[in-house]
Amino acid sequence: MNTQPPRIKPSFSYFTTDHARRDFAASPPPLPRLFPVDTTAAFARHKILSPAFRYPPTKCIWNAAHPNTLVIVTANVGPNESQRMDIEIVDSSPQKNVYLSKRDIKGESRLAVTTHGEGEVGVCFKNHIVGDVPYDKASKLASVVDLDVDIGADAVDYNAIANQESLSSLETEMRKLEGEVKEIMDEMEYLKKREERFTSTNTSTNARVQNFAWFSILSLAALGVWQVLHLRAYFKRKYLID
């Protein structure tokens, strides 16, 4: 007999498919990150059910990306009568770069940006109710968005390059491997810089702690000497000692 308790399904209308990196629901500004998932691929595919509102919140999909990285976003918006779907591509860098903002996307839209800062690239959606829609109908309005996010080497159309440069299949495959190796090298360089930064922070923190420890020891020693001299002078004034 199966004694395991039944699984409770989540109540939010949001789900993902293959190779998801990081999915979040967010409300601006700032955009808090919720529902984190796997972050291991440079290709992400998502299916989003976005309810429509008069003043809609922002729902964002976040993916990690390095500077100067090509990002291809393919959004396929399903039928959305009396709705307007807006899309915005931003990043999580301190500069809060906005790479692209497009209103009322319909059908399939293919968007390309190049990142400027280190961090995460967010594809954000807002689904507005447009026109005079009765309340009972407005509460049921929603759009389904199929979203593909290709980053780095996965965003390059090697078939087009092969046709343009008349490359053989072997040369095309070598070009793909070259792009993947470059991504790995960039990732290793990024990790190296992070390690150097962490090492520098650790060294400076240790030095500050050590200096504070010496300062505390010297302060306690000076306080002890002052107390001894003060008590000695006090006892001499009271003729308790010679």
Side-chain angles (χ1 to χ4, degrees):
M1 178 180 297
N2 187 4
T3 60
Q4 294 182 351
R7 294 184 179 178
I8 300 175
K9 295 183 179 180
S11 59
F12 51 84
S13 298
Y14 180 80
F15 51 98
T16 61
T17 57
D18 304 337
H19 304 295
R21 269 196 177 213
R22 256 190 177 181
D23 295 7
F24 302 98
S27 298
L31 301 175
R33 291 160 174 73
L34 304 175
F35 313 135
V37 295
D38 178 44
T39 61
T40 57
F43 169 78
R45 177 177 297 151
H46 316 270
K47 184 180 289 290
I48 307 166
L49 179 61
S50 179
F53 299 95
R54 291 289 181 187
Y55 303 98
T58 300
K59 181 174 289 187
C60 293
I61 309 298
W62 295 91
N63 294 273
H66 297 300
N68 301 317
T69 300
L70 177 64
V71 179
I72 301 293
V73 176
T74 304
N76 192 349
V77 181
N80 57 347
E81 182 182 358
S82 301
Q83 302 170 66
R84 190 192 79 215
M85 183 70 71
D86 298 343
I87 186 172
E88 191 174 59
I89 301 178
V90 299
D91 68 16
S92 62
S93 66
Q95 293 77 23
K96 303 298 181 184
N97 297 310
V98 178
Y99 298 104
L100 184 145
S101 183
K102 191 172 182 180
R103 293 164 56 92
D104 195 16
I105 60 172
K106 295 184 181 295
E108 182 173 326
S109 300
R110 187 175 175 86
L111 312 170
V113 300
T114 301
T115 58
H116 302 322
E118 186 70 51
E120 295 177 327
V121 175
V123 183
C124 301
F125 296 94
K126 284 185 179 180
N127 193 13
H128 299 260
I129 296 177
V130 295
D132 188 9
V133 181
Y135 176 77
D136 56 342
K137 182 180 178 181
S139 61
K140 300 178 182 178
L141 291 178
S143 293
V144 176
V145 181
D146 291 316
L147 180 67
D148 291 340
V149 182
D150 300 309
I151 301 174
D154 290 333
V156 180
D157 189 353
Y158 289 101
N159 292 327
I161 295 177
N163 294 332
Q164 182 179 1
E165 300 182 9
S166 301
L167 301 178
S168 64
S169 58
L170 180 59
E171 291 173 330
T172 304
E173 192 64 28
M174 291 297 294
R175 188 70 63 88
K176 291 181 182 179
L177 293 175
E178 181 183 0
E180 293 176 359
V181 169
K182 184 179 183 301
E183 278 195 342
I184 294 173
M185 294 298 295
D186 292 341
E187 184 70 20
M188 295 297 293
E189 186 66 25
Y190 168 71
L191 294 176
K192 180 181 178 181
K193 290 180 179 179
R194 284 189 60 183
E195 182 182 3
E196 291 175 352
R197 185 170 69 250
F198 292 156
T199 301
S200 176
T201 303
N202 187 37
T203 302
S204 62
T205 302
N206 289 338
R208 291 177 183 178
V209 171
Q210 186 177 9
N211 293 335
F212 179 76
W214 281 112
F215 173 76
S216 300
I217 293 172
L218 294 176
S219 299
L220 290 174
L223 181 61
V225 172
W226 177 82
Q227 287 180 338
V228 169
L229 296 177
H230 177 72
L231 290 174
R232 184 177 180 182
Y234 174 78
F235 291 149
K236 281 186 175 182
R237 286 197 303 269
K238 297 298 183 179
Y239 300 104
L240 297 177
I241 60 175
D242 295 334

